[in-house]
Amino acid sequence: MKKILVIAFCAFLLCGCGKKEDGWEKKIQLSTLEIEDSYITGQIKNLEDKAYKLTLTVELKSGSLTVDNTCYETIKPNETRDLKCLILSDSVTDSYTAEVKTVTLNEMDIPELKEGEITRETLEYHFEDIYDAHTLNFVSLMSSFDDIQYPYIDKIEYKEDKVTFTGNFTKDKNFVSYVESFDAKTSKLAYAFFYASVNNDSEYTNSLLTKISLMPSISTSSSDSLAINRALKRTDIKDGYCINAGNWCISTKTDGSLNSYLILPKH
């Protein structure tokens, strides 16, 4: 009889009937993850009245091939949000499956929003769509996935319902700086100024202007991109004037050591 009781007790331990739920599973819920157009997609639900920094390690698998991808999200109290995480490996296709490997939750203090210079953490929490728009605008300018300059932010200012970025970046001997401003209510681009050294390589400059014309916040169609690109490359625009292209009015100027490219709303 004692032997039977010992065997039953061991079986109880092995089956995990007394296993406690993982800590993160008490705080958030995750849907099944999918792979769509180089992104990991799904949904996350916060079950608590707290904000968290969330780090997901996702295993992407096809047959015996596996790739780990890390996703970062900020989730607000009681929020249900879509997950859309860029896959950094070029070898992963939609035929791969995605499975959560690890989940790390770090409780965060909700940043206070005041006018003036704000931190990137404050920007991401209160103006996530604007942060995403900025990072997507500049992703094509990355020299590599480990480019430590990206997303090229030196300063962020919130004032009079505008969120304004300033920054600069270098590639070899080429130098570019910018000012980019968004409407805080609509998350739409309000204007953008780019300044490039006159000593930049002509090939780099042509590539830069093409990439600017393709930025999602600037271009809505291929015809708009072509028109904006042509306008950015013009050198005959008179001071104080601009050329209509797409939804914008483009002005270019060479002044001393800098070429300037101004992208303003079309009136």
Side-chain angles (χ1 to χ4, degrees):
M1 183 66 178
K2 290 183 179 179
K3 184 182 288 187
I4 294 172
L5 290 174
V6 170
I7 293 171
F9 181 70
C10 291
F12 175 81
L13 293 177
L14 289 171
C15 77
C17 297
K19 181 183 175 182
K20 291 185 178 180
E21 190 179 35
D22 288 344
W24 66 267
E25 292 177 329
K26 297 177 181 179
K27 299 174 182 178
I28 66 164
Q29 292 177 341
L30 281 171
S31 71
T32 300
L33 302 181
E34 305 288 345
I35 298 176
E36 300 176 6
D37 300 326
S38 300
Y39 284 90
I40 299 166
T41 61
Q43 276 200 327
I44 309 169
K45 182 178 182 180
N46 188 353
L47 303 174
E48 302 210 326
D49 296 322
K50 300 175 181 178
Y52 291 103
K53 288 282 189 183
L54 175 69
T55 304
L56 298 177
T57 304
V58 181
E59 183 180 67
L60 309 174
K61 189 172 183 179
S62 178
S64 61
L65 298 175
T66 60
V67 177
D68 282 353
N69 200 93
T70 304
C71 305
Y72 303 95
E73 290 286 348
T74 297
I75 186 163
K76 298 176 182 179
N78 303 116
E79 179 185 30
T80 299
R81 58 173 298 134
D82 293 330
L83 170 70
K84 189 173 182 180
C85 174
L86 180 65
I87 297 171
L88 300 182
S89 173
D90 293 334
S91 64
V92 175
T93 66
D94 289 357
S95 64
Y96 277 64
T97 59
E99 187 172 326
V100 174
K101 195 172 181 180
T102 63
V103 178
T104 303
L105 286 175
N106 290 310
E107 186 180 345
M108 60 176 289
D109 294 327
I110 297 175
E112 184 180 4
L113 180 63
K114 292 182 177 180
E115 284 205 343
E117 187 172 353
I118 62 175
T119 64
R120 191 178 303 187
E121 185 178 57
T122 303
L123 170 75
E124 289 185 65
Y125 191 88
H126 292 283
F127 303 109
E128 182 182 3
D129 288 344
I130 291 177
Y131 177 75
D132 289 345
H134 169 81
T135 55
L136 284 173
N137 283 342
F138 283 81
V139 70
S140 65
L141 296 173
M142 285 194 301
S143 57
S144 63
F145 279 125
D146 59 355
D147 184 350
I148 61 173
Q149 298 179 93
Y150 178 77
Y152 316 116
I153 300 173
D154 293 337
K155 181 180 177 181
I156 311 161
E157 186 175 30
Y158 169 61
K159 188 176 182 181
E160 297 177 352
D161 289 324
K162 292 286 190 299
V163 176
T164 303
F165 299 83
T166 56
N168 64 79
F169 50 95
T170 58
K171 172 87 163 103
D172 301 325
K173 295 181 180 180
N174 301 296
F175 171 82
V176 181
S177 63
Y178 74 89
V179 179
E180 182 192 38
S181 188
F182 289 83
D183 186 313
K185 292 182 178 179
T186 66
S187 301
K188 302 295 185 183
L189 182 69
Y191 61 82
F193 300 163
F194 293 86
Y195 305 91
S197 169
V198 296
N199 296 318
N200 287 355
D201 295 336
S202 58
E203 184 177 343
Y204 177 83
T205 299
N206 286 333
S207 175
L208 170 70
L209 298 183
T210 297
K211 289 173 180 178
I212 291 172
S213 71
L214 291 169
M215 287 180 172
S217 294
I218 293 173
S219 174
T220 57
S221 68
S222 57
S223 59
D224 279 357
S225 296
L226 289 171
I228 293 166
N229 193 16
R230 284 194 295 267
L232 288 170
K233 291 180 178 179
R234 288 183 59 166
T235 58
D236 61 340
I237 302 175
K238 293 181 180 180
D239 195 22
Y241 289 82
C242 60
I243 302 297
N244 287 335
N247 295 321
W248 306 95
C249 203
I250 311 295
S251 178
T252 65
K253 184 179 179 181
T254 298
D255 185 11
S257 61
L258 293 174
N259 292 319
S260 62
Y261 308 93
L262 313 183
I263 303 172
L264 304 169
K266 183 168 66 176
H267 295 296

